PDB file of all heavy atoms in Angstrom:
ATOM      1  N   LEU M   1      12.098  21.020  -9.349  1.00 80.00           N
ATOM      2  CA  LEU M   1      12.737  21.558  -8.075  1.00 80.00           C
ATOM      3  C   LEU M   1      11.740  21.414  -6.865  1.00 80.00           C
ATOM      4  O   LEU M   1      12.251  21.074  -5.725  1.00 80.00           O
ATOM      5  CB  LEU M   1      12.996  23.094  -8.198  1.00 80.00           C
ATOM      6  CG  LEU M   1      14.225  23.406  -9.126  1.00 80.00           C
ATOM      7  CD1 LEU M   1      14.176  24.921  -9.342  1.00 80.00           C
ATOM      8  CD2 LEU M   1      15.537  22.886  -8.643  1.00 80.00           C
ATOM      9  N   THR M   2      10.472  21.471  -7.131  1.00 74.00           N
ATOM     10  CA  THR M   2       9.545  21.338  -6.030  1.00 74.00           C
ATOM     11  C   THR M   2       9.418  19.829  -5.601  1.00 74.00           C
ATOM     12  O   THR M   2       9.249  19.581  -4.393  1.00 74.00           O
ATOM     13  CB  THR M   2       8.162  21.707  -6.554  1.00 74.00           C
ATOM     14  OG1 THR M   2       8.245  23.106  -6.962  1.00 74.00           O
ATOM     15  CG2 THR M   2       7.133  21.700  -5.413  1.00 74.00           C
ATOM     16  N   LEU M   3       9.537  18.904  -6.438  1.00 71.00           N
ATOM     17  CA  LEU M   3       9.332  17.522  -6.188  1.00 71.00           C
ATOM     18  C   LEU M   3      10.599  16.812  -5.892  1.00 71.00           C
ATOM     19  O   LEU M   3      10.775  15.579  -5.845  1.00 71.00           O
ATOM     20  CB  LEU M   3       8.645  16.766  -7.281  1.00 71.00           C
ATOM     21  CG  LEU M   3       7.187  17.229  -7.605  1.00 71.00           C
ATOM     22  CD1 LEU M   3       6.635  16.469  -8.797  1.00 71.00           C
ATOM     23  CD2 LEU M   3       6.356  17.064  -6.344  1.00 71.00           C
ATOM     24  N   ARG M   4      11.730  17.561  -5.535  1.00 68.00           N
ATOM     25  CA  ARG M   4      12.940  16.876  -5.125  1.00 68.00           C
ATOM     26  C   ARG M   4      12.702  16.135  -3.759  1.00 68.00           C
ATOM     27  O   ARG M   4      11.866  16.574  -2.932  1.00 68.00           O
ATOM     28  CB  ARG M   4      14.060  17.861  -4.914  1.00 68.00           C
ATOM     29  CG  ARG M   4      13.794  18.942  -3.915  1.00 68.00           C
ATOM     30  CD  ARG M   4      15.018  19.960  -3.929  1.00 68.00           C
ATOM     31  NE  ARG M   4      14.964  20.879  -2.788  1.00 68.00           N
ATOM     32  CZ  ARG M   4      14.317  22.036  -2.826  1.00 68.00           C
ATOM     33  NH1 ARG M   4      13.530  22.358  -3.970  1.00 68.00           N
ATOM     34  NH2 ARG M   4      14.249  22.716  -1.740  1.00 68.00           N
ATOM     35  N   HIS M   5      13.482  15.099  -3.638  1.00 66.00           N
ATOM     36  CA  HIS M   5      13.172  14.155  -2.424  1.00 66.00           C
ATOM     37  C   HIS M   5      13.832  14.843  -1.168  1.00 66.00           C
ATOM     38  O   HIS M   5      14.897  15.214  -1.168  1.00 66.00           O
ATOM     39  CB  HIS M   5      13.804  12.776  -2.783  1.00 66.00           C
ATOM     40  CG  HIS M   5      13.200  11.979  -3.820  1.00 66.00           C
ATOM     41  ND1 HIS M   5      11.959  11.449  -3.624  1.00 66.00           N
ATOM     42  CD2 HIS M   5      13.443  11.826  -5.088  1.00 66.00           C
ATOM     43  CE1 HIS M   5      11.534  10.798  -4.719  1.00 66.00           C
ATOM     44  NE2 HIS M   5      12.497  11.043  -5.664  1.00 66.00           N
ATOM     45  N   ARG M   6      13.062  14.752  -0.087  1.00 65.00           N
ATOM     46  CA  ARG M   6      13.468  15.184   1.198  1.00 65.00           C
ATOM     47  C   ARG M   6      13.377  14.028   2.137  1.00 65.00           C
ATOM     48  O   ARG M   6      12.421  13.193   2.026  1.00 65.00           O
ATOM     49  CB  ARG M   6      12.683  16.422   1.682  1.00 65.00           C
ATOM     50  CG  ARG M   6      12.797  17.640   0.750  1.00 65.00           C
ATOM     51  CD  ARG M   6      12.076  18.762   1.449  1.00 65.00           C
ATOM     52  NE  ARG M   6      12.038  19.941   0.579  1.00 65.00           N
ATOM     53  CZ  ARG M   6      10.916  20.231  -0.163  1.00 65.00           C
ATOM     54  NH1 ARG M   6       9.894  19.445  -0.147  1.00 65.00           N
ATOM     55  NH2 ARG M   6      10.917  21.294  -0.861  1.00 65.00           N
ATOM     56  N   LYS M   7      14.213  13.922   3.129  1.00 68.00           N
ATOM     57  CA  LYS M   7      14.195  12.907   4.077  1.00 68.00           C
ATOM     58  C   LYS M   7      12.953  12.963   4.939  1.00 68.00           C
ATOM     59  O   LYS M   7      12.449  11.862   5.449  1.00 68.00           O
ATOM     60  CB  LYS M   7      15.447  12.808   4.895  1.00 68.00           C
ATOM     61  CG  LYS M   7      16.648  12.562   4.144  1.00 68.00           C
ATOM     62  CD  LYS M   7      17.894  12.545   4.996  1.00 68.00           C
ATOM     63  CE  LYS M   7      19.207  12.240   4.233  1.00 68.00           C
ATOM     64  NZ  LYS M   7      20.347  12.288   5.091  1.00 68.00           N
ATOM     65  N   THR M   8      12.383  14.063   5.279  1.00 67.00           N
ATOM     66  CA  THR M   8      11.348  14.251   6.145  1.00 67.00           C
ATOM     67  C   THR M   8       9.994  14.272   5.483  1.00 67.00           C
ATOM     68  O   THR M   8       8.935  14.478   6.148  1.00 67.00           O
ATOM     69  CB  THR M   8      11.502  15.668   6.792  1.00 67.00           C
ATOM     70  OG1 THR M   8      11.526  16.723   5.873  1.00 67.00           O
ATOM     71  CG2 THR M   8      12.807  15.690   7.642  1.00 67.00           C
ATOM     72  N   THR M   9       9.889  13.966   4.188  1.00 66.00           N
ATOM     73  CA  THR M   9       8.637  13.983   3.450  1.00 66.00           C
ATOM     74  C   THR M   9       8.401  12.622   2.938  1.00 66.00           C
ATOM     75  O   THR M   9       9.227  11.858   2.541  1.00 66.00           O
ATOM     76  CB  THR M   9       8.793  14.962   2.138  1.00 66.00           C
ATOM     77  OG1 THR M   9       9.203  16.206   2.637  1.00 66.00           O
ATOM     78  CG2 THR M   9       7.370  15.022   1.517  1.00 66.00           C
ATOM     79  N   LYS M  10       7.050  12.223   3.175  1.00 70.00           N
ATOM     80  CA  LYS M  10       6.597  10.910   2.708  1.00 70.00           C
ATOM     81  C   LYS M  10       6.108  10.950   1.234  1.00 70.00           C
ATOM     82  O   LYS M  10       5.486  11.928   0.862  1.00 70.00           O
ATOM     83  CB  LYS M  10       5.425  10.467   3.584  1.00 70.00           C
ATOM     84  CG  LYS M  10       5.863  10.217   5.082  1.00 70.00           C
ATOM     85  CD  LYS M  10       4.658   9.724   5.908  1.00 70.00           C
ATOM     86  CE  LYS M  10       5.038   9.445   7.325  1.00 70.00           C
ATOM     87  NZ  LYS M  10       3.765   8.956   8.068  1.00 70.00           N
ATOM     88  N   TYR M  11       6.456   9.985   0.503  1.00 70.00           N
ATOM     89  CA  TYR M  11       6.161  10.005  -0.938  1.00 70.00           C
ATOM     90  C   TYR M  11       5.367   8.651  -1.299  1.00 70.00           C
ATOM     91  O   TYR M  11       5.542   7.639  -0.582  1.00 70.00           O
ATOM     92  CB  TYR M  11       7.394  10.007  -1.748  1.00 70.00           C
ATOM     93  CG  TYR M  11       8.141  11.356  -1.696  1.00 70.00           C
ATOM     94  CD1 TYR M  11       9.090  11.529  -0.772  1.00 70.00           C
ATOM     95  CD2 TYR M  11       7.828  12.366  -2.555  1.00 70.00           C
ATOM     96  CE1 TYR M  11       9.855  12.675  -0.728  1.00 70.00           C
ATOM     97  CE2 TYR M  11       8.453  13.598  -2.439  1.00 70.00           C
ATOM     98  CZ  TYR M  11       9.476  13.731  -1.504  1.00 70.00           C
ATOM     99  OH  TYR M  11      10.182  14.996  -1.400  1.00 70.00           O
ATOM    100  N   GLN M  12       4.663   8.722  -2.324  1.00 75.00           N
ATOM    101  CA  GLN M  12       3.938   7.587  -2.832  1.00 75.00           C
ATOM    102  C   GLN M  12       4.519   7.292  -4.259  1.00 75.00           C
ATOM    103  O   GLN M  12       4.874   8.108  -5.033  1.00 75.00           O
ATOM    104  CB  GLN M  12       2.370   7.927  -3.099  1.00 75.00           C
ATOM    105  CG  GLN M  12       1.679   8.146  -1.674  1.00 75.00           C
ATOM    106  CD  GLN M  12       0.187   8.343  -1.925  1.00 75.00           C
ATOM    107  OE1 GLN M  12      -0.265   8.434  -3.035  1.00 75.00           O
ATOM    108  NE2 GLN M  12      -0.502   8.367  -0.882  1.00 75.00           N
ATOM    109  N   ASN M  13       4.612   5.988  -4.396  1.00 77.00           N
ATOM    110  CA  ASN M  13       5.157   5.475  -5.652  1.00 77.00           C
ATOM    111  C   ASN M  13       4.055   4.925  -6.573  1.00 77.00           C
ATOM    112  O   ASN M  13       3.574   3.848  -6.245  1.00 77.00           O
ATOM    113  CB  ASN M  13       6.242   4.341  -5.435  1.00 77.00           C
ATOM    114  CG  ASN M  13       7.007   4.017  -6.691  1.00 77.00           C
ATOM    115  OD1 ASN M  13       6.566   4.336  -7.730  1.00 77.00           O
ATOM    116  ND2 ASN M  13       8.135   3.263  -6.475  1.00 77.00           N
ATOM    117  N   PRO M  14       3.661   5.656  -7.567  1.00 80.00           N
ATOM    118  CA  PRO M  14       2.421   5.260  -8.357  1.00 80.00           C
ATOM    119  C   PRO M  14       2.762   3.883  -9.027  1.00 80.00           C
ATOM    120  O   PRO M  14       1.776   3.058  -9.141  1.00 80.00           O
ATOM    121  CB  PRO M  14       2.265   6.379  -9.391  1.00 80.00           C
ATOM    122  CG  PRO M  14       2.948   7.552  -8.721  1.00 80.00           C
ATOM    123  CD  PRO M  14       4.022   7.045  -7.957  1.00 80.00           C
ATOM    124  N   ALA M  15       3.924   3.576  -9.331  1.00 82.00           N
ATOM    125  CA  ALA M  15       4.218   2.280 -10.066  1.00 82.00           C
ATOM    126  C   ALA M  15       3.975   1.133  -9.094  1.00 82.00           C
ATOM    127  O   ALA M  15       3.366   0.118  -9.493  1.00 82.00           O
ATOM    128  CB  ALA M  15       5.650   2.262 -10.483  1.00 82.00           C
ATOM    129  N   ARG M  16       4.361   1.314  -7.803  1.00 80.00           N
ATOM    130  CA  ARG M  16       4.181   0.174  -6.917  1.00 80.00           C
ATOM    131  C   ARG M  16       2.605   0.106  -6.513  1.00 80.00           C
ATOM    132  O   ARG M  16       2.091  -0.987  -6.286  1.00 80.00           O
ATOM    133  CB  ARG M  16       4.957   0.489  -5.576  1.00 80.00           C
ATOM    134  CG  ARG M  16       6.394   0.350  -5.780  1.00 80.00           C
ATOM    135  CD  ARG M  16       7.160   0.426  -4.450  1.00 80.00           C
ATOM    136  NE  ARG M  16       6.794  -0.606  -3.538  1.00 80.00           N
ATOM    137  CZ  ARG M  16       7.236  -0.683  -2.297  1.00 80.00           C
ATOM    138  NH1 ARG M  16       8.011   0.357  -1.698  1.00 80.00           N
ATOM    139  NH2 ARG M  16       6.816  -1.605  -1.533  1.00 80.00           N
ATOM    140  N   GLN M  17       1.893   1.245  -6.540  1.00 80.00           N
ATOM    141  CA  GLN M  17       0.478   1.247  -6.267  1.00 80.00           C
ATOM    142  C   GLN M  17      -0.346   0.481  -7.393  1.00 80.00           C
ATOM    143  O   GLN M  17      -1.283  -0.342  -7.136  1.00 80.00           O
ATOM    144  CB  GLN M  17      -0.108   2.574  -6.155  1.00 80.00           C
ATOM    145  CG  GLN M  17       0.347   3.359  -4.894  1.00 80.00           C
ATOM    146  CD  GLN M  17      -0.117   4.823  -4.837  1.00 80.00           C
ATOM    147  OE1 GLN M  17      -0.396   5.396  -5.913  1.00 80.00           O
ATOM    148  NE2 GLN M  17      -0.301   5.343  -3.621  1.00 80.00           N
ATOM    149  N   VAL M  18       0.135   0.626  -8.625  1.00 82.00           N
ATOM    150  CA  VAL M  18      -0.494  -0.103  -9.720  1.00 82.00           C
ATOM    151  C   VAL M  18      -0.196  -1.535  -9.645  1.00 82.00           C
ATOM    152  O   VAL M  18      -1.038  -2.464 -10.055  1.00 82.00           O
ATOM    153  CB  VAL M  18      -0.060   0.558 -11.087  1.00 82.00           C
ATOM    154  CG1 VAL M  18      -0.548  -0.278 -12.239  1.00 82.00           C
ATOM    155  CG2 VAL M  18      -0.482   1.992 -11.193  1.00 82.00           C
ATOM    156  N   GLU M  19       0.970  -2.038  -9.149  1.00 83.00           N
ATOM    157  CA  GLU M  19       1.367  -3.393  -9.142  1.00 83.00           C
ATOM    158  C   GLU M  19       0.594  -4.207  -8.020  1.00 83.00           C
ATOM    159  O   GLU M  19       0.736  -5.371  -7.960  1.00 83.00           O
ATOM    160  CB  GLU M  19       2.832  -3.523  -8.951  1.00 83.00           C
ATOM    161  CG  GLU M  19       3.605  -3.029 -10.254  1.00 83.00           C
ATOM    162  CD  GLU M  19       5.127  -3.067 -10.053  1.00 83.00           C
ATOM    163  OE1 GLU M  19       5.538  -3.323  -8.897  1.00 83.00           O
ATOM    164  OE2 GLU M  19       5.832  -2.762 -10.910  1.00 83.00           O
ATOM    165  N   VAL M  20      -0.062  -3.478  -7.129  1.00 80.00           N
ATOM    166  CA  VAL M  20      -0.600  -4.103  -5.942  1.00 80.00           C
ATOM    167  C   VAL M  20      -1.768  -4.994  -6.434  1.00 80.00           C
ATOM    168  O   VAL M  20      -2.593  -4.596  -7.253  1.00 80.00           O
ATOM    169  CB  VAL M  20      -1.238  -3.094  -4.892  1.00 80.00           C
ATOM    170  CG1 VAL M  20      -2.028  -3.733  -3.845  1.00 80.00           C
ATOM    171  CG2 VAL M  20       0.045  -2.337  -4.302  1.00 80.00           C
ATOM    172  N   ARG M  21      -1.887  -6.208  -5.875  1.00 81.00           N
ATOM    173  CA  ARG M  21      -3.018  -7.090  -6.135  1.00 81.00           C
ATOM    174  C   ARG M  21      -3.867  -7.282  -4.948  1.00 81.00           C
ATOM    175  O   ARG M  21      -3.494  -6.944  -3.900  1.00 81.00           O
ATOM    176  CB  ARG M  21      -2.379  -8.479  -6.604  1.00 81.00           C
ATOM    177  CG  ARG M  21      -1.559  -8.451  -7.912  1.00 81.00           C
ATOM    178  CD  ARG M  21      -2.456  -8.096  -9.091  1.00 81.00           C
ATOM    179  NE  ARG M  21      -1.721  -8.015 -10.281  1.00 81.00           N
ATOM    180  CZ  ARG M  21      -1.382  -6.868 -10.843  1.00 81.00           C
ATOM    181  NH1 ARG M  21      -1.546  -5.667 -10.206  1.00 81.00           N
ATOM    182  NH2 ARG M  21      -0.677  -6.829 -11.992  1.00 81.00           N
ATOM    183  N   ARG M  22      -5.057  -7.871  -5.113  1.00 76.00           N
ATOM    184  CA  ARG M  22      -5.952  -8.060  -4.002  1.00 76.00           C
ATOM    185  C   ARG M  22      -5.425  -8.960  -2.938  1.00 76.00           C
ATOM    186  O   ARG M  22      -5.535  -8.637  -1.811  1.00 76.00           O
ATOM    187  CB  ARG M  22      -7.269  -8.693  -4.561  1.00 76.00           C
ATOM    188  CG  ARG M  22      -8.300  -8.820  -3.519  1.00 76.00           C
ATOM    189  CD  ARG M  22      -9.410  -9.671  -4.008  1.00 76.00           C
ATOM    190  NE  ARG M  22      -8.953 -11.127  -4.186  1.00 76.00           N
ATOM    191  CZ  ARG M  22      -9.852 -12.095  -4.604  1.00 76.00           C
ATOM    192  NH1 ARG M  22     -11.113 -11.763  -4.916  1.00 76.00           N
ATOM    193  NH2 ARG M  22      -9.305 -13.340  -4.797  1.00 76.00           N
ATOM    194  N   ASN M  23      -4.661  -9.985  -3.380  1.00 77.00           N
ATOM    195  CA  ASN M  23      -4.083 -10.866  -2.307  1.00 77.00           C
ATOM    196  C   ASN M  23      -3.038 -10.264  -1.423  1.00 77.00           C
ATOM    197  O   ASN M  23      -2.778 -10.760  -0.333  1.00 77.00           O
ATOM    198  CB  ASN M  23      -3.544 -12.153  -3.021  1.00 77.00           C
ATOM    199  CG  ASN M  23      -4.618 -12.922  -3.709  1.00 77.00           C
ATOM    200  OD1 ASN M  23      -5.703 -13.025  -3.367  1.00 77.00           O
ATOM    201  ND2 ASN M  23      -4.159 -13.664  -4.773  1.00 77.00           N
ATOM    202  N   ASP M  24      -2.482  -9.133  -1.995  1.00 75.00           N
ATOM    203  CA  ASP M  24      -1.435  -8.443  -1.075  1.00 75.00           C
ATOM    204  C   ASP M  24      -2.064  -7.521  -0.005  1.00 75.00           C
ATOM    205  O   ASP M  24      -1.429  -7.233   0.896  1.00 75.00           O
ATOM    206  CB  ASP M  24      -0.519  -7.590  -2.053  1.00 75.00           C
ATOM    207  CG  ASP M  24       0.196  -8.377  -3.082  1.00 75.00           C
ATOM    208  OD1 ASP M  24       0.422  -9.557  -2.822  1.00 75.00           O
ATOM    209  OD2 ASP M  24       0.512  -7.790  -4.143  1.00 75.00           O
ATOM    210  N   ARG M  25      -3.350  -7.271  -0.208  1.00 77.00           N
ATOM    211  CA  ARG M  25      -3.943  -6.347   0.694  1.00 77.00           C
ATOM    212  C   ARG M  25      -5.105  -6.974   1.551  1.00 77.00           C
ATOM    213  O   ARG M  25      -5.481  -6.569   2.580  1.00 77.00           O
ATOM    214  CB  ARG M  25      -4.472  -5.071  -0.025  1.00 77.00           C
ATOM    215  CG  ARG M  25      -3.371  -4.255  -0.599  1.00 77.00           C
ATOM    216  CD  ARG M  25      -2.600  -3.555   0.532  1.00 77.00           C
ATOM    217  NE  ARG M  25      -1.651  -2.591  -0.082  1.00 77.00           N
ATOM    218  CZ  ARG M  25      -0.351  -2.900  -0.147  1.00 77.00           C
ATOM    219  NH1 ARG M  25       0.078  -4.071   0.198  1.00 77.00           N
ATOM    220  NH2 ARG M  25       0.507  -2.101  -0.688  1.00 77.00           N
ATOM    221  N   VAL M  26      -5.787  -7.945   0.925  1.00 78.00           N
ATOM    222  CA  VAL M  26      -7.040  -8.496   1.466  1.00 78.00           C
ATOM    223  C   VAL M  26      -6.721  -9.966   1.806  1.00 78.00           C
ATOM    224  O   VAL M  26      -6.274 -10.654   0.914  1.00 78.00           O
ATOM    225  CB  VAL M  26      -8.188  -8.332   0.655  1.00 78.00           C
ATOM    226  CG1 VAL M  26      -9.469  -8.928   1.259  1.00 78.00           C
ATOM    227  CG2 VAL M  26      -8.454  -6.822   0.353  1.00 78.00           C
ATOM    228  N   ARG M  27      -7.138 -10.413   3.010  1.00 78.00           N
ATOM    229  CA  ARG M  27      -7.049 -11.809   3.312  1.00 78.00           C
ATOM    230  C   ARG M  27      -8.298 -12.300   3.857  1.00 78.00           C
ATOM    231  O   ARG M  27      -8.869 -11.670   4.826  1.00 78.00           O
ATOM    232  CB  ARG M  27      -5.848 -12.061   4.372  1.00 78.00           C
ATOM    233  CG  ARG M  27      -5.616 -13.518   4.649  1.00 78.00           C
ATOM    234  CD  ARG M  27      -4.643 -13.748   5.641  1.00 78.00           C
ATOM    235  NE  ARG M  27      -4.899 -13.130   6.891  1.00 78.00           N
ATOM    236  CZ  ARG M  27      -4.021 -13.176   8.016  1.00 78.00           C
ATOM    237  NH1 ARG M  27      -2.968 -13.783   7.936  1.00 78.00           N
ATOM    238  NH2 ARG M  27      -4.406 -12.572   9.121  1.00 78.00           N
ATOM    239  N   ILE M  28      -8.999 -13.251   3.191  1.00 80.00           N
ATOM    240  CA  ILE M  28     -10.238 -13.785   3.707  1.00 80.00           C
ATOM    241  C   ILE M  28     -10.002 -14.997   4.636  1.00 80.00           C
ATOM    242  O   ILE M  28      -9.262 -15.935   4.328  1.00 80.00           O
ATOM    243  CB  ILE M  28     -10.985 -14.314   2.468  1.00 80.00           C
ATOM    244  CG1 ILE M  28     -11.292 -13.062   1.459  1.00 80.00           C
ATOM    245  CG2 ILE M  28     -12.261 -14.886   2.884  1.00 80.00           C
ATOM    246  CD1 ILE M  28     -11.922 -13.495   0.238  1.00 80.00           C
ATOM    247  N   VAL M  29     -10.493 -14.873   5.903  1.00 80.00           N
ATOM    248  CA  VAL M  29     -10.343 -15.883   6.915  1.00 80.00           C
ATOM    249  C   VAL M  29     -11.687 -16.564   7.078  1.00 80.00           C
ATOM    250  O   VAL M  29     -12.754 -15.949   7.279  1.00 80.00           O
ATOM    251  CB  VAL M  29      -9.907 -15.167   8.140  1.00 80.00           C
ATOM    252  CG1 VAL M  29      -9.796 -16.281   9.313  1.00 80.00           C
ATOM    253  CG2 VAL M  29      -8.588 -14.443   7.927  1.00 80.00           C
ATOM    254  N   SER M  30     -11.549 -17.839   7.038  1.00 82.00           N
ATOM    255  CA  SER M  30     -12.806 -18.712   7.184  1.00 82.00           C
ATOM    256  C   SER M  30     -13.003 -18.951   8.718  1.00 82.00           C
ATOM    257  O   SER M  30     -12.144 -19.645   9.254  1.00 82.00           O
ATOM    258  CB  SER M  30     -12.791 -19.905   6.401  1.00 82.00           C
ATOM    259  OG  SER M  30     -13.859 -20.773   6.538  1.00 82.00           O
ATOM    260  N   MET M  31     -14.086 -18.512   9.335  1.00 80.00           N
ATOM    261  CA  MET M  31     -14.268 -18.762  10.671  1.00 80.00           C
ATOM    262  C   MET M  31     -15.684 -19.395  10.852  1.00 80.00           C
ATOM    263  O   MET M  31     -16.601 -19.094  10.110  1.00 80.00           O
ATOM    264  CB  MET M  31     -14.256 -17.406  11.485  1.00 80.00           C
ATOM    265  CG  MET M  31     -12.987 -16.713  11.386  1.00 80.00           C
ATOM    266  SD  MET M  31     -12.996 -15.168  12.327  1.00 80.00           S
ATOM    267  CE  MET M  31     -13.245 -15.767  13.941  1.00 80.00           C
ATOM    268  N   PRO M  32     -15.685 -20.324  11.773  1.00 81.00           N
ATOM    269  CA  PRO M  32     -17.054 -20.946  11.967  1.00 81.00           C
ATOM    270  C   PRO M  32     -18.095 -20.074  12.576  1.00 81.00           C
ATOM    271  O   PRO M  32     -17.617 -19.125  13.319  1.00 81.00           O
ATOM    272  CB  PRO M  32     -16.686 -22.152  12.941  1.00 81.00           C
ATOM    273  CG  PRO M  32     -15.475 -21.732  13.651  1.00 81.00           C
ATOM    274  CD  PRO M  32     -14.665 -20.932  12.608  1.00 81.00           C
ATOM    275  N   ALA M  33     -19.249 -20.153  12.303  1.00 79.00           N
ATOM    276  CA  ALA M  33     -20.270 -19.382  12.847  1.00 79.00           C
ATOM    277  C   ALA M  33     -20.434 -19.600  14.405  1.00 79.00           C
ATOM    278  O   ALA M  33     -20.417 -20.760  14.798  1.00 79.00           O
ATOM    279  CB  ALA M  33     -21.546 -19.572  12.128  1.00 79.00           C
ATOM    280  N   GLU M  34     -20.738 -18.553  15.001  1.00 78.00           N
ATOM    281  CA  GLU M  34     -20.912 -18.678  16.552  1.00 78.00           C
ATOM    282  C   GLU M  34     -22.338 -18.410  16.889  1.00 78.00           C
ATOM    283  O   GLU M  34     -23.023 -17.485  16.381  1.00 78.00           O
ATOM    284  CB  GLU M  34     -20.013 -17.811  17.359  1.00 78.00           C
ATOM    285  CG  GLU M  34     -18.601 -18.153  17.202  1.00 78.00           C
ATOM    286  CD  GLU M  34     -17.605 -17.194  17.874  1.00 78.00           C
ATOM    287  OE1 GLU M  34     -18.216 -16.346  18.614  1.00 78.00           O
ATOM    288  OE2 GLU M  34     -16.385 -17.471  17.742  1.00 78.00           O
ATOM    289  N   LYS M  35     -22.923 -19.180  17.900  1.00 74.00           N
ATOM    290  CA  LYS M  35     -24.300 -18.903  18.313  1.00 74.00           C
ATOM    291  C   LYS M  35     -24.242 -18.151  19.641  1.00 74.00           C
ATOM    292  O   LYS M  35     -23.243 -18.180  20.377  1.00 74.00           O
ATOM    293  CB  LYS M  35     -25.068 -20.218  18.500  1.00 74.00           C
ATOM    294  CG  LYS M  35     -25.196 -21.059  17.235  1.00 74.00           C
ATOM    295  CD  LYS M  35     -26.074 -22.322  17.516  1.00 74.00           C
ATOM    296  CE  LYS M  35     -26.270 -23.062  16.276  1.00 74.00           C
ATOM    297  NZ  LYS M  35     -27.073 -24.278  16.530  1.00 74.00           N
TER     298      LYS M  35
END
């Protein structure tokens, strides 16, 4: 009863959090060094 879904409440989906990979969140950009 407590965890019923409400439109005004934000929820986290643990299954989607586990499926996240590094490439989905981090992007490595190669930039030339500046003097």
Side-chain angles (χ1 to χ4, degrees):
L1 289 175
T2 303
L3 296 180
R4 64 182 185 274
H5 292 283
R6 301 187 185 95
K7 295 181 180 179
T8 59
T9 306
K10 295 181 179 179
Y11 292 93
Q12 293 182 351
N13 190 345
R16 294 186 62 186
Q17 290 178 333
V18 172
E19 293 174 356
V20 170
R21 296 294 180 261
R22 184 191 66 178
N23 295 333
D24 299 333
R25 293 290 184 262
V26 179
R27 185 177 62 178
I28 300 176
V29 179
S30 178
M31 296 180 64
E34 296 182 0
K35 297 181 179 179

